[in-house]
Amino acid sequence: MALSFAVAAYSSPIMCKPTNVNNHSHLQDLSYIRRAAQISDKSAGYTSPHPNFGCVIATQSGDVAGEGYLYAQGTKPAEVLAVEAAGERSRGATAYVNMEPGDCHGDHTAVSALVQAGITRAVIGMRHPLQHLRGNAIRALRSQGLQVDVLGEDMQSKLVEEARKACLLVNLPLIYRAASRVPFSVLKYAMTLDGKIAASSGHATWISSKLSRNRVFELRGRSDAVIVGGNTVRRDNPRLTARHGGGHMPIRIVLSQTLDLPEEANLWDLSDVSTVVVTQRGARRSFQKFLASKGVEVVEFDILNPRDVMEYFHDRGYLSILWECGGTLAASAISSGVLHKVFAFVAPKIIGGKNAPSPVGELGMVEMSQALDLIDVFFEQIGPDMLISGFLQPIPDLTPTIPSEDETFAIDPTVTRFESSIVFFYKTWDPYGAFSNFSPHPIQMPDEDGDYATWLSVEHYYQANKFIGVSNPLEQDCIEKIKSAKVQKKLLEWEG
């Protein structure tokens, strides 16, 4: 099935009413989940670094009572807006959300709104991709008596998988960032029919049509930042704004190893949006001071490579980055494994030229069998141009694999496999963070009475479980001290 970057590529939802109002129509569920994903996409670019949330509330008769989406950071949750729109019709209704509610600051407003409104069932497109939030809202809703169905878990079919993919697509930046520890990165370029991004002279204005350029502005408006290399700054003097596409203004990033950049450039004008220049340590100190005088931020790396740069901007909280660079930097980014999707605008033009630049430079491949295949390819005609988009890497599977007791014993031989009171954990880092003993996120685990207690980290819980079953008056005191320990380093004192 063809998929695009935006959920808008899907056809409009088919609204089907059930023949029996007491039974939930399978097609109706999927239709409303698609609708929740569709409206959540309206806020792309505004909600970063939070997910795009959409919520649709449907009555038992199958009518839409209300809907809403998270407009931007700090605004009302989608679920609250949908409940407010539905009013009293929320009672006994079903809520459809593209993603499990969850806020990194522990805000439970979304869940509370559904419960207090009298919602009796919730259909969730996907669990939250951040492991420390994954499943929390689902458990909370079920504990309040709501029936909760999760696509791919409680509901399974080919149509369910397609609807679930719509939910994945609308939050790709967060999913990729959570799985790969780098921002979701898209390579965009415009080329002629014979594969040139400029003439031999370097002239490139304009390859694609105005309609295609407007689509680029929209892509920028969905991104946290836009990256170019030094060649693009010298040759094109771009502004890199989202001036015709709406959305917010992304940060502009320039990667230049030598800082061989002009003093007069549109990117040094910070009246609308800021610019970050990334370079190699020690490059043109005098020019760095010049940039600083303009207000441009300069970041130095010992060795400048795309992987380190992306990890750095991941740590700064960036979710989505659009690469509008030339072929040399594009090849380096592809080789570093930091590019996830490609948008290629192909214009029906031929310019020729042996030395005319191409969109991707040397990758070291010598046989066609080594070529990188795009997956989930989507074709769209935009005016006279053809837009071809596809993924260089598959959408990550965020479902963690819990190790067996034998595997855990191989990692930590001190764990006795036959003691049922022992709780098994990784003692090494894993891509999801939740099963790392030193994950900084709190967890909730049931105690001996079946009540959930909050622990500051997995390591706190792991160390405290060493005292379970020990008949000693100091046992409870030790457990309480571990539970209240603020610094994980202190927990090492309990080892052994």
Side-chain angles (χ1 to χ4, degrees):
M1 180 182 66
L3 301 169
S4 75
F5 181 71
V7 176
Y10 284 92
S11 59
S12 300
I14 301 173
M15 301 298 181
C16 301
K17 291 187 178 181
T19 55
N20 185 339
V21 298
N22 295 319
N23 296 323
H24 295 287
S25 167
H26 186 69
L27 291 179
Q28 177 182 285
D29 285 343
L30 301 185
S31 172
Y32 289 147
I33 279 290
R34 281 176 175 271
R35 175 60 183 168
Q38 188 178 52
I39 63 176
S40 74
D41 190 60
K42 294 181 179 181
S43 59
Y46 288 105
T47 57
S48 177
H50 302 296
N52 298 317
F53 285 113
C55 178
V56 175
I57 295 178
T59 63
Q60 292 182 355
S61 61
D63 298 323
V64 174
E67 60 182 36
Y69 64 93
L70 179 65
Y71 177 73
Q73 292 187 55
T75 60
K76 286 184 179 181
E79 295 81 0
V80 173
L81 293 174
V83 164
E84 290 178 350
E88 287 299 316
R89 300 180 73 192
S90 296
R91 301 210 166 271
T94 297
Y96 299 88
V97 292
N98 61 297
M99 178 184 288
E100 174 186 13
D103 185 271
C104 57
H105 302 296
D107 184 4
H108 304 295
T109 305
V111 171
S112 298
L114 297 179
V115 173
Q116 293 173 8
I119 298 292
T120 57
R121 178 175 179 250
V123 180
I124 295 176
M126 59 174 288
R127 289 177 179 261
H128 203 292
L130 298 183
Q131 192 63 43
H132 66 288
L133 299 175
R134 190 179 179 90
N136 292 351
I138 294 173
R139 286 191 294 270
L141 290 170
R142 285 172 174 164
S143 70
Q144 294 296 319
L146 276 73
Q147 177 186 342
V148 179
D149 296 320
V150 183
L151 266 59
E153 298 177 22
D154 306 291
M155 303 169 63
Q156 294 181 339
S157 71
K158 183 177 180 180
L159 291 176
V160 165
E161 190 58 32
E162 291 176 357
R164 180 174 176 270
K165 203 155 193 177
C167 298
L168 293 173
L169 286 173
V170 79
N171 276 299
L172 281 179
L174 189 65
I175 294 170
Y176 274 92
R177 185 178 185 275
S180 60
R181 310 299 293 175
V182 293
F184 177 66
S185 290
V186 175
L187 173 64
K188 164 262 152 188
Y189 55 83
M191 70 179 188
T192 60
L193 198 59
D194 55 337
K196 310 298 183 180
I197 60 173
S200 299
S201 64
H203 187 266
T205 308
W206 293 99
I207 292 177
S208 59
S209 66
K210 184 177 180 180
L211 289 174
S212 293
R213 296 197 296 275
N214 287 341
R215 175 62 65 87
V216 172
F217 295 142
E218 294 174 6
L219 291 174
R220 289 176 186 170
R222 302 173 66 91
S223 306
D224 293 329
V226 180
I227 285 185
V228 294
N231 285 335
T232 301
V233 178
R234 289 187 291 269
R235 185 186 65 231
D236 299 338
N237 191 22
R239 296 182 182 275
L240 302 182
T241 62
R243 53 188 179 274
H244 297 310
H248 78 111
M249 298 285 278
I251 301 297
R252 302 169 300 187
I253 302 173
V254 178
L255 267 62
S256 174
Q257 193 170 28
T258 63
L259 277 191
D260 181 18
L261 302 172
E263 290 192 1
E264 296 296 326
N266 290 322
L267 294 181
W268 313 154
D269 178 4
L270 310 184
S271 56
D272 292 324
V273 64
S274 60
T275 299
V276 179
V277 173
V278 182
T279 188
Q280 198 148 295
R281 193 171 304 282
R284 292 190 68 189
R285 291 293 188 186
S286 59
F287 192 73
Q288 289 191 36
K289 292 181 180 179
F290 166 78
L291 291 176
S293 70
K294 294 282 190 178
V296 176
E297 180 184 357
V298 179
V299 179
E300 292 182 302
F301 285 79
D302 291 332
I303 302 295
L304 188 62
N305 66 76
R307 168 62 61 175
D308 290 343
V309 172
M310 287 298 95
E311 290 178 354
Y312 168 77
F313 282 106
H314 165 274
D315 293 341
R316 285 179 64 151
Y318 288 31
L319 287 184
S320 179
I321 293 183
L322 183 65
W323 294 65
E324 296 194 45
C325 54
T328 301
L329 183 53
S332 179
I334 291 174
S335 299
S336 299
V338 298
L339 288 179
H340 305 112
K341 192 169 186 180
V342 175
F343 276 80
F345 294 84
V346 183
K349 302 175 181 179
I350 294 177
I351 194 160
K354 179 179 178 181
N355 298 319
S358 64
V360 179
E362 180 60 51
L363 290 172
M365 299 178 182
V366 296
E367 295 181 1
M368 192 56 65
S369 59
Q370 296 175 297
L372 301 175
D373 291 325
L374 297 185
I375 56 179
D376 286 335
V377 178
F378 181 74
F379 301 90
E380 179 184 358
Q381 185 168 352
I382 303 179
D385 306 325
M386 179 64 71
L387 170 58
I388 304 173
S389 60
F391 291 90
L392 278 169
Q393 304 177 27
I395 299 175
D397 182 4
L398 292 173
T399 305
T401 302
I402 302 175
S404 66
E405 295 183 8
D406 288 340
E407 291 170 328
T408 306
F409 180 74
I411 295 172
D412 183 6
T414 64
V415 175
T416 303
R417 288 174 287 178
F418 307 107
E419 292 185 14
S420 59
S421 61
I422 296 293
V423 180
F424 295 90
F425 295 100
Y426 281 111
K427 296 204 73 177
T428 55
W429 179 88
D430 81 305
Y432 307 97
F435 294 105
S436 167
N437 286 44
F438 291 94
S439 167
H441 306 296
I443 62 169
Q444 286 189 328
M445 299 295 289
D447 57 21
E448 294 178 340
D449 298 324
D451 299 322
Y452 278 87
T454 300
W455 299 81
L456 294 180
S457 72
V458 173
E459 182 68 15
H460 286 76
Y461 186 55
Y462 175 81
Q463 296 295 344
N465 267 272
K466 293 183 177 182
F467 294 91
I468 297 297
V470 178
S471 299
N472 189 305
L474 297 177
E475 170 200 338
Q476 192 61 38
D477 183 58
C478 289
I479 292 177
E480 292 302 319
K481 286 182 178 179
I482 292 173
K483 182 182 291 188
S484 61
K486 298 297 183 183
V487 182
Q488 289 193 1
K489 184 178 179 182
K490 288 287 186 182
L491 294 175
L492 296 177
E493 299 174 3
W494 299 97
E495 284 285 2

PDB file of all heavy atoms in Angstrom, residues 362-392:
ATOM      1  N   GLU A 362      28.889  10.441  -4.010  1.00  0.00           N
ATOM      2  CA  GLU A 362      29.486   9.108  -4.012  1.00  0.00           C
ATOM      3  C   GLU A 362      29.149   8.344  -2.729  1.00  0.00           C
ATOM      4  O   GLU A 362      29.353   8.826  -1.626  1.00  0.00           O
ATOM      5  CB  GLU A 362      31.007   9.223  -4.158  1.00  0.00           C
ATOM      6  CG  GLU A 362      31.736   7.894  -4.178  1.00  0.00           C
ATOM      7  CD  GLU A 362      31.277   7.006  -5.330  1.00  0.00           C
ATOM      8  OE1 GLU A 362      31.257   7.490  -6.478  1.00  0.00           O
ATOM      9  OE2 GLU A 362      30.907   5.846  -5.052  1.00  0.00           O
ATOM     10  N   LEU A 363      28.620   7.127  -2.929  1.00  0.00           N
ATOM     11  CA  LEU A 363      28.312   6.237  -1.800  1.00  0.00           C
ATOM     12  C   LEU A 363      29.208   5.006  -1.776  1.00  0.00           C
ATOM     13  O   LEU A 363      29.073   4.158  -0.890  1.00  0.00           O
ATOM     14  CB  LEU A 363      26.843   5.791  -1.866  1.00  0.00           C
ATOM     15  CG  LEU A 363      25.783   6.861  -1.564  1.00  0.00           C
ATOM     16  CD1 LEU A 363      24.388   6.326  -1.855  1.00  0.00           C
ATOM     17  CD2 LEU A 363      25.886   7.329  -0.122  1.00  0.00           C
ATOM     18  N   GLY A 364      30.090   4.867  -2.751  1.00  0.00           N
ATOM     19  CA  GLY A 364      30.994   3.727  -2.787  1.00  0.00           C
ATOM     20  C   GLY A 364      30.387   2.475  -3.372  1.00  0.00           C
ATOM     21  O   GLY A 364      30.973   1.390  -3.257  1.00  0.00           O
ATOM     22  N   MET A 365      29.219   2.601  -3.988  1.00  0.00           N
ATOM     23  CA  MET A 365      28.565   1.425  -4.565  1.00  0.00           C
ATOM     24  C   MET A 365      29.032   1.230  -6.012  1.00  0.00           C
ATOM     25  O   MET A 365      29.113   2.200  -6.776  1.00  0.00           O
ATOM     26  CB  MET A 365      27.047   1.583  -4.510  1.00  0.00           C
ATOM     27  CG  MET A 365      26.506   1.726  -3.096  1.00  0.00           C
ATOM     28  SD  MET A 365      24.723   1.972  -3.079  1.00  0.00           S
ATOM     29  CE  MET A 365      24.425   2.155  -1.317  1.00  0.00           C
ATOM     30  N   VAL A 366      29.303  -0.025  -6.366  1.00  0.00           N
ATOM     31  CA  VAL A 366      29.814  -0.314  -7.710  1.00  0.00           C
ATOM     32  C   VAL A 366      28.897  -1.243  -8.499  1.00  0.00           C
ATOM     33  O   VAL A 366      29.110  -1.452  -9.694  1.00  0.00           O
ATOM     34  CB  VAL A 366      31.236  -0.929  -7.626  1.00  0.00           C
ATOM     35  CG1 VAL A 366      32.207   0.072  -7.037  1.00  0.00           C
ATOM     36  CG2 VAL A 366      31.221  -2.216  -6.791  1.00  0.00           C
ATOM     37  N   GLU A 367      27.889  -1.817  -7.866  1.00  0.00           N
ATOM     38  CA  GLU A 367      26.957  -2.700  -8.546  1.00  0.00           C
ATOM     39  C   GLU A 367      25.527  -2.277  -8.221  1.00  0.00           C
ATOM     40  O   GLU A 367      25.236  -1.807  -7.114  1.00  0.00           O
ATOM     41  CB  GLU A 367      27.165  -4.159  -8.122  1.00  0.00           C
ATOM     42  CG  GLU A 367      28.512  -4.735  -8.517  1.00  0.00           C
ATOM     43  CD  GLU A 367      28.655  -6.187  -8.098  1.00  0.00           C
ATOM     44  OE1 GLU A 367      27.676  -6.724  -7.525  1.00  0.00           O
ATOM     45  OE2 GLU A 367      29.710  -6.770  -8.344  1.00  0.00           O
ATOM     46  N   MET A 368      24.635  -2.469  -9.187  1.00  0.00           N
ATOM     47  CA  MET A 368      23.243  -2.074  -8.985  1.00  0.00           C
ATOM     48  C   MET A 368      22.599  -2.854  -7.844  1.00  0.00           C
ATOM     49  O   MET A 368      21.656  -2.375  -7.207  1.00  0.00           O
ATOM     50  CB  MET A 368      22.458  -2.273 -10.290  1.00  0.00           C
ATOM     51  CG  MET A 368      21.081  -1.627 -10.278  1.00  0.00           C
ATOM     52  SD  MET A 368      21.126   0.150  -9.921  1.00  0.00           S
ATOM     53  CE  MET A 368      22.004   0.758 -11.367  1.00  0.00           C
ATOM     54  N   SER A 369      23.100  -4.036  -7.566  1.00  0.00           N
ATOM     55  CA  SER A 369      22.557  -4.831  -6.461  1.00  0.00           C
ATOM     56  C   SER A 369      22.797  -4.158  -5.110  1.00  0.00           C
ATOM     57  O   SER A 369      22.167  -4.515  -4.118  1.00  0.00           O
ATOM     58  CB  SER A 369      23.174  -6.231  -6.458  1.00  0.00           C
ATOM     59  OG  SER A 369      24.586  -6.153  -6.318  1.00  0.00           O
ATOM     60  N   GLN A 370      23.720  -3.201  -5.064  1.00  0.00           N
ATOM     61  CA  GLN A 370      24.007  -2.493  -3.815  1.00  0.00           C
ATOM     62  C   GLN A 370      23.101  -1.283  -3.613  1.00  0.00           C
ATOM     63  O   GLN A 370      23.122  -0.667  -2.540  1.00  0.00           O
ATOM     64  CB  GLN A 370      25.475  -2.027  -3.814  1.00  0.00           C
ATOM     65  CG  GLN A 370      26.495  -3.156  -3.832  1.00  0.00           C
ATOM     66  CD  GLN A 370      27.913  -2.618  -3.956  1.00  0.00           C
ATOM     67  OE1 GLN A 370      28.263  -1.998  -4.959  1.00  0.00           O
ATOM     68  NE2 GLN A 370      28.707  -2.822  -2.928  1.00  0.00           N
ATOM     69  N   ALA A 371      22.306  -0.948  -4.615  1.00  0.00           N
ATOM     70  CA  ALA A 371      21.465   0.248  -4.538  1.00  0.00           C
ATOM     71  C   ALA A 371      20.481   0.140  -3.370  1.00  0.00           C
ATOM     72  O   ALA A 371      19.997  -0.949  -3.027  1.00  0.00           O
ATOM     73  CB  ALA A 371      20.700   0.437  -5.846  1.00  0.00           C
ATOM     74  N   LEU A 372      20.197   1.277  -2.762  1.00  0.00           N
ATOM     75  CA  LEU A 372      19.257   1.330  -1.640  1.00  0.00           C
ATOM     76  C   LEU A 372      17.831   1.407  -2.179  1.00  0.00           C
ATOM     77  O   LEU A 372      17.500   2.309  -2.960  1.00  0.00           O
ATOM     78  CB  LEU A 372      19.553   2.547  -0.758  1.00  0.00           C
ATOM     79  CG  LEU A 372      20.946   2.609  -0.142  1.00  0.00           C
ATOM     80  CD1 LEU A 372      21.133   3.930   0.602  1.00  0.00           C
ATOM     81  CD2 LEU A 372      21.163   1.432   0.804  1.00  0.00           C
ATOM     82  N   ASP A 373      16.992   0.474  -1.783  1.00  0.00           N
ATOM     83  CA  ASP A 373      15.596   0.460  -2.206  1.00  0.00           C
ATOM     84  C   ASP A 373      14.742   1.263  -1.234  1.00  0.00           C
ATOM     85  O   ASP A 373      14.870   1.123  -0.008  1.00  0.00           O
ATOM     86  CB  ASP A 373      15.064  -0.976  -2.270  1.00  0.00           C
ATOM     87  CG  ASP A 373      15.698  -1.777  -3.394  1.00  0.00           C
ATOM     88  OD1 ASP A 373      15.968  -1.183  -4.452  1.00  0.00           O
ATOM     89  OD2 ASP A 373      15.923  -2.992  -3.208  1.00  0.00           O
ATOM     90  N   LEU A 374      13.865   2.114  -1.777  1.00  0.00           N
ATOM     91  CA  LEU A 374      12.876   2.785  -0.947  1.00  0.00           C
ATOM     92  C   LEU A 374      11.704   1.832  -0.708  1.00  0.00           C
ATOM     93  O   LEU A 374      11.386   0.995  -1.561  1.00  0.00           O
ATOM     94  CB  LEU A 374      12.372   4.055  -1.626  1.00  0.00           C
ATOM     95  CG  LEU A 374      13.397   5.159  -1.890  1.00  0.00           C
ATOM     96  CD1 LEU A 374      12.704   6.387  -2.456  1.00  0.00           C
ATOM     97  CD2 LEU A 374      14.156   5.516  -0.632  1.00  0.00           C
ATOM     98  N   ILE A 375      11.088   1.960   0.439  1.00  0.00           N
ATOM     99  CA  ILE A 375       9.920   1.144   0.763  1.00  0.00           C
ATOM    100  C   ILE A 375       8.722   2.059   1.016  1.00  0.00           C
ATOM    101  O   ILE A 375       8.877   3.243   1.304  1.00  0.00           O
ATOM    102  CB  ILE A 375      10.169   0.239   1.990  1.00  0.00           C
ATOM    103  CG1 ILE A 375      10.591   1.070   3.202  1.00  0.00           C
ATOM    104  CG2 ILE A 375      11.244  -0.795   1.681  1.00  0.00           C
ATOM    105  CD1 ILE A 375      10.819   0.248   4.456  1.00  0.00           C
ATOM    106  N   ASP A 376       7.519   1.491   0.903  1.00  0.00           N
ATOM    107  CA  ASP A 376       6.284   2.270   1.049  1.00  0.00           C
ATOM    108  C   ASP A 376       6.326   3.499   0.143  1.00  0.00           C
ATOM    109  O   ASP A 376       6.097   4.636   0.575  1.00  0.00           O
ATOM    110  CB  ASP A 376       6.060   2.687   2.503  1.00  0.00           C
ATOM    111  CG  ASP A 376       5.624   1.524   3.370  1.00  0.00           C
ATOM    112  OD1 ASP A 376       5.053   0.575   2.819  1.00  0.00           O
ATOM    113  OD2 ASP A 376       5.862   1.562   4.585  1.00  0.00           O
ATOM    114  N   VAL A 377       6.617   3.271  -1.122  1.00  0.00           N
ATOM    115  CA  VAL A 377       6.793   4.366  -2.074  1.00  0.00           C
ATOM    116  C   VAL A 377       5.437   4.968  -2.450  1.00  0.00           C
ATOM    117  O   VAL A 377       4.446   4.250  -2.635  1.00  0.00           O
ATOM    118  CB  VAL A 377       7.525   3.868  -3.339  1.00  0.00           C
ATOM    119  CG1 VAL A 377       7.673   4.992  -4.356  1.00  0.00           C
ATOM    120  CG2 VAL A 377       8.901   3.322  -2.957  1.00  0.00           C
ATOM    121  N   PHE A 378       5.405   6.293  -2.561  1.00  0.00           N
ATOM    122  CA  PHE A 378       4.175   7.017  -2.884  1.00  0.00           C
ATOM    123  C   PHE A 378       4.456   7.966  -4.053  1.00  0.00           C
ATOM    124  O   PHE A 378       5.467   8.665  -4.058  1.00  0.00           O
ATOM    125  CB  PHE A 378       3.686   7.802  -1.668  1.00  0.00           C
ATOM    126  CG  PHE A 378       2.414   8.562  -1.897  1.00  0.00           C
ATOM    127  CD1 PHE A 378       1.199   7.901  -1.959  1.00  0.00           C
ATOM    128  CD2 PHE A 378       2.427   9.939  -2.044  1.00  0.00           C
ATOM    129  CE1 PHE A 378       0.020   8.597  -2.170  1.00  0.00           C
ATOM    130  CE2 PHE A 378       1.250  10.646  -2.256  1.00  0.00           C
ATOM    131  CZ  PHE A 378       0.042   9.969  -2.319  1.00  0.00           C
ATOM    132  N   PHE A 379       3.574   7.977  -5.047  1.00  0.00           N
ATOM    133  CA  PHE A 379       3.717   8.832  -6.224  1.00  0.00           C
ATOM    134  C   PHE A 379       2.590   9.860  -6.220  1.00  0.00           C
ATOM    135  O   PHE A 379       1.428   9.516  -6.008  1.00  0.00           O
ATOM    136  CB  PHE A 379       3.667   8.010  -7.512  1.00  0.00           C
ATOM    137  CG  PHE A 379       4.737   6.961  -7.609  1.00  0.00           C
ATOM    138  CD1 PHE A 379       4.521   5.680  -7.116  1.00  0.00           C
ATOM    139  CD2 PHE A 379       5.960   7.251  -8.192  1.00  0.00           C
ATOM    140  CE1 PHE A 379       5.501   4.704  -7.207  1.00  0.00           C
ATOM    141  CE2 PHE A 379       6.948   6.286  -8.293  1.00  0.00           C
ATOM    142  CZ  PHE A 379       6.726   5.011  -7.799  1.00  0.00           C
ATOM    143  N   GLU A 380       2.944  11.112  -6.500  1.00  0.00           N
ATOM    144  CA  GLU A 380       1.930  12.166  -6.537  1.00  0.00           C
ATOM    145  C   GLU A 380       2.321  13.199  -7.586  1.00  0.00           C
ATOM    146  O   GLU A 380       3.461  13.683  -7.592  1.00  0.00           O
ATOM    147  CB  GLU A 380       1.814  12.839  -5.161  1.00  0.00           C
ATOM    148  CG  GLU A 380       0.797  13.960  -5.105  1.00  0.00           C
ATOM    149  CD  GLU A 380       0.773  14.664  -3.757  1.00  0.00           C
ATOM    150  OE1 GLU A 380       1.533  14.251  -2.867  1.00  0.00           O
ATOM    151  OE2 GLU A 380       0.003  15.626  -3.612  1.00  0.00           O
ATOM    152  N   GLN A 381       1.398  13.526  -8.443  1.00  0.00           N
ATOM    153  CA  GLN A 381       1.665  14.570  -9.430  1.00  0.00           C
ATOM    154  C   GLN A 381       1.330  15.923  -8.834  1.00  0.00           C
ATOM    155  O   GLN A 381       0.244  16.134  -8.293  1.00  0.00           O
ATOM    156  CB  GLN A 381       0.860  14.355 -10.713  1.00  0.00           C
ATOM    157  CG  GLN A 381       1.211  15.355 -11.803  1.00  0.00           C
ATOM    158  CD  GLN A 381       0.651  14.978 -13.154  1.00  0.00           C
ATOM    159  OE1 GLN A 381       0.111  13.890 -13.323  1.00  0.00           O
ATOM    160  NE2 GLN A 381       0.776  15.873 -14.127  1.00  0.00           N
ATOM    161  N   ILE A 382       2.296  16.847  -8.919  1.00  0.00           N
ATOM    162  CA  ILE A 382       2.107  18.205  -8.418  1.00  0.00           C
ATOM    163  C   ILE A 382       2.355  19.159  -9.584  1.00  0.00           C
ATOM    164  O   ILE A 382       3.509  19.415  -9.948  1.00  0.00           O
ATOM    165  CB  ILE A 382       3.057  18.520  -7.250  1.00  0.00           C
ATOM    166  CG1 ILE A 382       2.855  17.516  -6.116  1.00  0.00           C
ATOM    167  CG2 ILE A 382       2.842  19.944  -6.751  1.00  0.00           C
ATOM    168  CD1 ILE A 382       3.754  17.736  -4.935  1.00  0.00           C
ATOM    169  N   GLY A 383       1.290  19.659 -10.185  1.00  0.00           N
ATOM    170  CA  GLY A 383       1.451  20.464 -11.383  1.00  0.00           C
ATOM    171  C   GLY A 383       2.135  19.629 -12.460  1.00  0.00           C
ATOM    172  O   GLY A 383       1.740  18.492 -12.733  1.00  0.00           O
ATOM    173  N   PRO A 384       3.207  20.153 -13.063  1.00  0.00           N
ATOM    174  CA  PRO A 384       3.912  19.387 -14.089  1.00  0.00           C
ATOM    175  C   PRO A 384       4.913  18.393 -13.512  1.00  0.00           C
ATOM    176  O   PRO A 384       5.473  17.579 -14.255  1.00  0.00           O
ATOM    177  CB  PRO A 384       4.649  20.475 -14.876  1.00  0.00           C
ATOM    178  CG  PRO A 384       4.912  21.539 -13.858  1.00  0.00           C
ATOM    179  CD  PRO A 384       3.719  21.533 -12.940  1.00  0.00           C
ATOM    180  N   ASP A 385       5.146  18.451 -12.194  1.00  0.00           N
ATOM    181  CA  ASP A 385       6.182  17.641 -11.564  1.00  0.00           C
ATOM    182  C   ASP A 385       5.619  16.353 -10.977  1.00  0.00           C
ATOM    183  O   ASP A 385       4.417  16.239 -10.720  1.00  0.00           O
ATOM    184  CB  ASP A 385       6.879  18.435 -10.450  1.00  0.00           C
ATOM    185  CG  ASP A 385       7.420  19.767 -10.943  1.00  0.00           C
ATOM    186  OD1 ASP A 385       7.856  19.811 -12.112  1.00  0.00           O
ATOM    187  OD2 ASP A 385       7.403  20.732 -10.165  1.00  0.00           O
ATOM    188  N   MET A 386       6.498  15.415 -10.747  1.00  0.00           N
ATOM    189  CA  MET A 386       6.146  14.176 -10.054  1.00  0.00           C
ATOM    190  C   MET A 386       6.899  14.132  -8.730  1.00  0.00           C
ATOM    191  O   MET A 386       8.127  14.286  -8.690  1.00  0.00           O
ATOM    192  CB  MET A 386       6.525  12.959 -10.894  1.00  0.00           C
ATOM    193  CG  MET A 386       6.213  11.622 -10.220  1.00  0.00           C
ATOM    194  SD  MET A 386       4.438  11.372  -9.939  1.00  0.00           S
ATOM    195  CE  MET A 386       3.869  11.123 -11.631  1.00  0.00           C
ATOM    196  N   LEU A 387       6.160  13.948  -7.633  1.00  0.00           N
ATOM    197  CA  LEU A 387       6.767  13.792  -6.319  1.00  0.00           C
ATOM    198  C   LEU A 387       6.827  12.304  -5.985  1.00  0.00           C
ATOM    199  O   LEU A 387       5.801  11.623  -5.969  1.00  0.00           O
ATOM    200  CB  LEU A 387       5.961  14.529  -5.248  1.00  0.00           C
ATOM    201  CG  LEU A 387       6.350  14.259  -3.788  1.00  0.00           C
ATOM    202  CD1 LEU A 387       7.811  14.602  -3.524  1.00  0.00           C
ATOM    203  CD2 LEU A 387       5.431  15.011  -2.833  1.00  0.00           C
ATOM    204  N   ILE A 388       8.033  11.822  -5.754  1.00  0.00           N
ATOM    205  CA  ILE A 388       8.238  10.425  -5.356  1.00  0.00           C
ATOM    206  C   ILE A 388       8.781  10.429  -3.941  1.00  0.00           C
ATOM    207  O   ILE A 388       9.815  11.056  -3.661  1.00  0.00           O
ATOM    208  CB  ILE A 388       9.222   9.708  -6.298  1.00  0.00           C
ATOM    209  CG1 ILE A 388       8.744   9.805  -7.751  1.00  0.00           C
ATOM    210  CG2 ILE A 388       9.393   8.248  -5.886  1.00  0.00           C
ATOM    211  CD1 ILE A 388       9.737   9.268  -8.758  1.00  0.00           C
ATOM    212  N   SER A 389       8.088   9.760  -3.042  1.00  0.00           N
ATOM    213  CA  SER A 389       8.539   9.700  -1.652  1.00  0.00           C
ATOM    214  C   SER A 389       8.567   8.249  -1.184  1.00  0.00           C
ATOM    215  O   SER A 389       7.816   7.408  -1.678  1.00  0.00           O
ATOM    216  CB  SER A 389       7.620  10.521  -0.741  1.00  0.00           C
ATOM    217  OG  SER A 389       6.291  10.033  -0.778  1.00  0.00           O
ATOM    218  N   GLY A 390       9.437   7.977  -0.253  1.00  0.00           N
ATOM    219  CA  GLY A 390       9.541   6.627   0.298  1.00  0.00           C
ATOM    220  C   GLY A 390      10.533   6.593   1.434  1.00  0.00           C
ATOM    221  O   GLY A 390      11.318   7.529   1.630  1.00  0.00           O
ATOM    222  N   PHE A 391      10.491   5.498   2.156  1.00  0.00           N
ATOM    223  CA  PHE A 391      11.349   5.350   3.331  1.00  0.00           C
ATOM    224  C   PHE A 391      12.652   4.638   2.976  1.00  0.00           C
ATOM    225  O   PHE A 391      12.656   3.652   2.238  1.00  0.00           O
ATOM    226  CB  PHE A 391      10.630   4.551   4.420  1.00  0.00           C
ATOM    227  CG  PHE A 391       9.466   5.276   5.038  1.00  0.00           C
ATOM    228  CD1 PHE A 391       8.193   5.152   4.514  1.00  0.00           C
ATOM    229  CD2 PHE A 391       9.653   6.086   6.143  1.00  0.00           C
ATOM    230  CE1 PHE A 391       7.124   5.828   5.064  1.00  0.00           C
ATOM    231  CE2 PHE A 391       8.596   6.768   6.707  1.00  0.00           C
ATOM    232  CZ  PHE A 391       7.327   6.635   6.173  1.00  0.00           C
ATOM    233  N   LEU A 392      13.753   5.154   3.517  1.00  0.00           N
ATOM    234  CA  LEU A 392      15.027   4.461   3.426  1.00  0.00           C
ATOM    235  C   LEU A 392      15.140   3.385   4.499  1.00  0.00           C
ATOM    236  O   LEU A 392      15.895   2.433   4.369  1.00  0.00           O
ATOM    237  CB  LEU A 392      16.187   5.453   3.593  1.00  0.00           C
ATOM    238  CG  LEU A 392      16.589   6.245   2.347  1.00  0.00           C
ATOM    239  CD1 LEU A 392      17.552   7.356   2.731  1.00  0.00           C
ATOM    240  CD2 LEU A 392      17.205   5.339   1.301  1.00  0.00           C
TER     241      LEU A 392
END
